[in-house]
């Protein structure tokens, strides 16, 4: 992002005067939202994402450049449910003068996973994109509203095709994962990004950290995890693209010293997508990557 910015400025300054792009500017937070937004608006608007590959949205703070971009936006789309924990105030402020869509706002709260209760008020898990059916509902709702906001009558053909693609993707995920034996349907990774995934596709999900990557993990968490993996002979653990792999490496070492050689299943995309221009740099591509990784690591029977 930092490297790209001077280039963008340079490109913009090289454009001949009078050739200004006056299409509406939509600024979104995560790559997953950018993927859907680009599919919906096509050539009708420009879309800029604040958080690139490998960026952790829980800890993300808006830079001066981001704030300038957000202020120049005609429309802003963000995930909500405190995924962008450090940016909520910025969105609340901007909502007074700009059209701001909180993607999770239109969804029925009964669909959300409650992570904690404070004074009877629930805190919800923000990682809604890993239940592909739930995410497609969010995008279904966004499409007509976003299109209206950029001056179109209804959801674009490309937006409808994208949500249709998400429906097939959801079916494919279910069908593909169905071949993993029940005893191996355990997903162990460094933070709890996959609770929705687990609920939707029947996986037990165990994260070493809490819901946010800001939460600390302790020695006891590692010991508990080592015991659990060794006792149940779980074949593989996973690391994540936007979170440090240190904790998972400690767990693997602990298991080894207990005589259970747990494999590293690979790197899952959790809160950020892969590099632009690769298959994993799209939302369907990142989901397929994760599913194939799980399939390869967990389909085999574990050592008895
Ligand atoms: Zn997360």
């Amino acid at each position: 992002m930092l490297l790209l910015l001077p280039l963008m400025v340079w490109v913009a300054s090289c454009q001949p005067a009078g050739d200004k792009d006056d299409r509406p500017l939509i600024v979104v937070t995560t790559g997953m939202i950018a993927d859907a937004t680009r599919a919906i608006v096509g050539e009708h608007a420009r879309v800029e994402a604040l958080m690139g590959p490998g960026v952790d949205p829980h800890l993300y703070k808006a830079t001066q450049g981001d704030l300038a971009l957000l202020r120049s936006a005609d429309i802003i789309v963000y995930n909500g449910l405190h995924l962008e924990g450090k940016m909520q105030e910025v969105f609340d402020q901007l909502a007074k003068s700009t059209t701001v869509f909180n993607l999770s706002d239109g969804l029925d709260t009964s669909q959300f996973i409650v992570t904690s209760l404070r004074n009877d008020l629930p805190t919800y898990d923000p990682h809604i994109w890993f239940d592909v059916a739930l995410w497609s509902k969010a995008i279904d709702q966004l499409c007509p509203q976003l299109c209206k906001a950029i001056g179109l009558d209804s959801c674009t053909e490309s937006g409808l095709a994208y949500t249709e693609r998400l429906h097939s993707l959801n079916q494919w995920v279910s069908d593909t994962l169905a071949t993993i034996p029940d005893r191996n349907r355990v997903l162990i990774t460094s933070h709890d990004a996959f609770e929705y995934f687990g609920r939707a596709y029947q996986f037990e999900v165990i994260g070493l950290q809490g819901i946010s990557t800001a939460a600390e993990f302790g020695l006891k968490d590692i010991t508990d995890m080592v015991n659990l993996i060794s006792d149940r002979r779980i074949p593989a653990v996973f690391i994540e693209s936007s979170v440090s792999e240190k904790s998972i490496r400690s767990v693997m070492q602990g298991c080894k010293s207990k005589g259970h050689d747990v494999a590293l299943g690979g790197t899952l995309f959790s809160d950020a997508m892969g590099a632009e221009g690769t298959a994993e740099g799209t939302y369907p591509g990142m989901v397929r990557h994760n599913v194939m990784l799980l399939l390869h690591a967990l389909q085999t029977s574990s050592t008895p």
Side-chain angles (χ1 to χ4, degrees):
M1 202 63 191
L2 282 173
L3 282 172
L4 274 177
L5 211 56
L7 183 68
M8 281 157 55
V9 171
W10 178 78
V11 168
S13 65
C14 281
Q15 276 180 349
D19 200 17
K20 207 171 148 277
D21 191 342
D22 46 16
R23 292 175 298 165
L25 172 63
I26 307 175
V27 177
V28 307
T29 53
T30 68
M32 293 73 83
I33 300 174
D35 196 58
T37 305
R38 287 196 178 108
I40 290 169
V41 301
E43 291 302 308
H44 297 285
R46 290 173 291 153
V47 180
E48 297 279 352
L50 296 180
M51 304 171 191
V55 172
D56 180 348
H58 301 285
L59 304 176
Y60 192 82
K61 279 189 196 144
T63 63
Q64 286 304 320
D66 291 341
L67 292 175
L69 191 63
L70 284 165
R71 277 194 287 265
S72 66
D74 298 292
I75 298 161
I76 295 165
V77 190
Y78 71 106
N79 186 86
L81 302 178
H82 295 285
L83 176 75
E84 304 93 341
K86 307 222 181 273
M87 294 186 67
Q88 190 60 49
E89 263 177 53
V90 176
F91 296 133
D92 290 345
Q93 274 300 321
L94 286 163
K96 292 175 189 163
S97 54
T98 312
T99 307
V100 178
F101 292 114
N102 172 343
L103 249 193
S104 47
D105 244 5
L107 295 170
D108 189 338
T109 54
S110 67
Q111 309 248 349
F112 296 147
I113 293 175
V114 177
T115 57
S116 64
L117 278 172
R118 193 177 286 174
N119 302 329
D120 286 338
L121 284 174
T123 302
Y124 299 118
D125 183 338
H127 303 90
I128 51 174
W129 58 94
F130 277 132
D131 173 344
V132 182
L134 183 59
W135 187 244
S136 74
K137 266 188 205 161
I139 304 305
D140 262 338
Q141 289 180 357
L142 176 71
C143 192
Q145 295 180 55
L146 191 58
C147 289
K148 222 175 146 193
I150 58 169
L152 303 172
D153 292 336
S154 56
C155 184
T156 54
E157 287 293 324
S158 58
L160 292 172
Y162 187 82
T163 45
E164 201 46 56
R165 219 177 138 200
L166 296 189
H167 292 299
S168 334
L169 179 67
N170 182 52
Q171 193 57 51
W172 176 84
V173 175
S174 294
D175 294 348
T176 307
L177 293 175
T179 58
I180 296 178
D182 281 350
R183 67 175 181 284
N184 283 357
R185 298 177 85 88
V186 185
L187 174 48
I188 295 178
T189 186
S190 48
H191 94 294
D192 283 338
F194 295 94
E195 293 291 338
Y196 286 99
F197 181 91
R199 183 183 70 179
Y201 310 109
Q202 296 86 50
F203 267 77
E204 186 182 344
V205 177
I206 307 170
L208 204 53
Q209 277 167 302
I211 290 301
S212 162
T213 47
E216 284 293 316
F217 62 91
L219 206 59
K220 188 176 180 300
D221 299 311
I222 293 184
T223 314
D224 289 350
M225 185 76 93
V226 166
N227 290 338
L228 183 143
I229 295 170
S230 307
D231 293 349
R232 290 173 55 177
R233 315 301 289 175
I234 291 166
V237 293
F238 299 87
I239 50 181
E240 290 173 40
S241 60
S242 56
V243 185
S244 146
E245 60 181 82
K246 209 177 114 204
S247 50
I248 284 294
R249 292 272 179 201
S250 325
V251 167
M252 289 175 68
Q253 261 173 12
C255 290
K256 201 169 182 185
S257 66
K258 286 193 79 171
H260 175 58
D261 227 346
V262 63
L264 185 62
T267 305
L268 296 168
F269 290 104
S270 57
D271 290 358
M273 309 192 307
E276 234 172 276
T278 66
E280 294 80 20
T282 68
Y283 170 75
M286 98 190 260
V287 171
R288 274 195 294 270
H289 165 94
N290 285 354
V291 168
M292 291 317 286
L293 220 59
L294 293 177
L295 193 69
H296 286 134
L298 301 175
Q299 201 177 34
T300 50
S301 52
S302 58
T303 348

